[in-house]
Amino acid sequence: MPEPNIPTGKASMEKATVFDIQRFSVHDGPGIRTIVFFKGCPLNCQWCANPESQRFVPELFFFPDKCIGCGKCTAVCRQRCIIKDGDRWVFEREICIGCLACAEVCSSKARAGSGREMTCKEIIAEVDKDLVFYQMSGGGVTFSGGEALCFPETIARLARHYRDKGISTAAETCGHVPWENFEKVLPYMDLLLFDLKLMNRELHRTYTGDTNELILSNLKKVCALVDTIVRIPIIPAVNDSSQAIEEFGRFLADMKEDLISVNLLPYHNFGEAKYAALGRPYLLEDLKAPSEEQMERIKKQLEGYGLKVQIGG
């Protein structure tokens, strides 16, 4: 079985790169939650709404329409990758080293950094600001990404800290990590949100960058050990055909007694602008979101396998 493409050392660190901490979420677990988004993922899904989550290092967003031409960025750029050409400023991203010095001085937010390394103590200090809301709503903390389970020691320490306080813990995962990573975090996890994208091995490689054997193996194991919700992103012309849904249904039917539900997440292109700001192409620019009728058809087909299915979540 192939090993996931996780950079050496990332999975053993007790600190991690975080690109966002989102408060007052009512998704990704019960009650009011804080979502900690870890940066770095072994997959590269073409429909990913957060492309800044994919790489393990801090990155620079550049939004040209916000630039006011003040020149502060070029004064601090050690690589000289921001130059003036006549009346316009030119950014040569290929020689940028991602130091983010330009983002620190950009008052118009045309340049913005994504990702900073945080220790467990620093993450806890941020999350603890909302403890009262978790306690009142039955909510808690959800670890997301990227792929949070690329940092199992960090997640285990954080989850244990909150479980000891009686706070709900959850993690979202693509499942493409070594089983030993799951073993480190599952004892402290109340809920797992497990993404399942495609059943076809080669299509999975085409659209995510790797095959799915490890993902399917891990899902079979985890759903018997912890409360698990399977989440399927519905991508038109990729995984929404009757045959593709049948493949999902047949696979999940064998573990339906262990699953809380299957949540169908309709495709959207809300993250498209981020790709341009990161200097990357968006490969699905002509794709449209599935209709309500399409989603209901898929829901009904999966329910035919005895699965509890909901749209969204």
Side-chain angles (χ1 to χ4, degrees):
M1 185 174 295
E3 285 297 312
N5 182 25
I6 300 174
T8 302
K10 292 292 181 184
S12 63
M13 295 170 62
E14 291 198 359
K15 56 185 177 180
T17 303
V18 174
F19 73 91
D20 194 16
I21 297 179
Q22 178 182 319
R23 293 184 164 85
F24 304 109
S25 174
V26 292
H27 303 289
D28 302 306
I32 297 173
R33 308 189 72 81
T34 291
I35 318 298
V36 182
F37 291 90
F38 292 85
K39 193 168 178 357
C41 184
L43 298 181
N44 186 27
C45 301
Q46 292 185 16
W47 52 83
C48 182
N50 294 312
E52 73 276 24
S53 73
Q54 294 174 347
R55 297 179 182 174
F56 286 86
V57 295
E59 293 180 272
L60 177 69
F61 282 120
F62 175 46
F63 301 96
D65 56 316
K66 295 183 179 181
C67 180
I68 59 175
C70 66
K72 292 180 182 178
C73 53
T74 191
V76 298
C77 179
R78 299 194 299 268
Q79 294 296 105
R80 298 179 62 83
C81 56
I82 307 168
I83 58 175
K84 195 166 188 179
D85 182 12
D87 294 331
R88 65 191 186 99
W89 291 95
V90 177
F91 175 38
E92 298 182 349
R93 185 182 284 275
E94 63 274 9
I95 61 174
C96 174
I97 60 173
C99 70
L100 305 183
C102 59
E104 294 174 5
V105 299
C106 183
S107 56
S108 68
K109 306 301 181 184
R111 299 177 185 276
S114 175
R116 67 185 180 102
E117 194 171 85
M118 299 180 71
T119 64
C120 288
K121 184 177 180 179
E122 290 171 328
I123 294 171
I124 288 169
E126 287 296 313
V127 174
D128 276 2
K129 294 175 182 178
D130 299 318
L131 276 178
V132 64
F133 298 106
Y134 314 145
Q135 293 162 346
M136 292 173 60
S137 71
V141 185
T142 299
F143 308 105
S144 187
E147 177 49 63
L149 268 67
C150 284
F151 306 95
E153 280 80 8
T154 303
I155 302 304
R157 285 187 58 187
L158 293 169
R160 183 170 62 245
H161 171 83
Y162 288 106
R163 280 284 292 271
D164 288 347
K165 289 178 175 287
I167 301 297
S168 164
T169 58
E172 180 185 2
T173 180
C174 72
H176 197 60
V177 296
W179 176 245
E180 65 188 45
N181 291 27
F182 281 98
E183 291 180 311
K184 291 174 182 176
V185 304
L186 289 183
Y188 315 108
M189 208 57 63
D190 294 314
L191 175 67
L192 213 60
L193 306 164
F194 200 112
D195 295 344
L196 185 60
K197 306 169 195 299
L198 280 156
M199 293 302 299
N200 183 282
R201 179 181 188 276
E202 291 308 317
L203 282 179
H204 198 282
R205 186 203 301 271
T206 297
Y207 287 102
T208 75
D210 213 333
T211 56
N212 60 359
E213 296 98 329
L214 181 61
I215 295 168
L216 301 181
S217 172
N218 285 337
L219 177 54
K220 289 178 181 179
K221 295 176 184 177
V222 299
C223 68
L225 298 174
V226 65
D227 286 349
T228 302
I229 295 174
V230 168
R231 306 205 299 188
I232 303 176
I234 300 301
I235 317 298
V238 175
N239 69 351
D240 67 333
S241 68
S242 293
Q243 179 181 341
I245 303 307
E246 180 182 348
E247 291 170 351
F248 284 128
R250 286 180 175 177
F251 177 76
L252 294 173
D254 290 338
M255 56 192 80
K256 63 185 177 184
E257 300 302 325
D258 294 321
L259 294 176
I260 294 178
S261 67
V262 176
N263 293 1
L264 304 177
L265 310 180
Y267 164 81
H268 62 75
N269 64 352
F270 299 158
E272 184 173 353
K274 293 182 181 180
Y275 285 81
L278 290 168
R280 299 184 211 165
Y282 185 66
L283 300 178
L284 303 178
E285 60 182 354
D286 296 325
L287 207 60
K288 298 185 184 301
S291 67
E292 292 183 12
E293 291 77 14
Q294 287 173 300
M295 295 301 297
E296 287 293 339
R297 185 261 304 169
I298 292 169
K299 177 175 182 288
K300 186 172 295 186
Q301 186 177 352
L302 284 176
E303 286 174 337
Y305 291 90
L307 298 165
K308 181 180 178 182
V309 186
Q310 72 177 58
I311 298 172

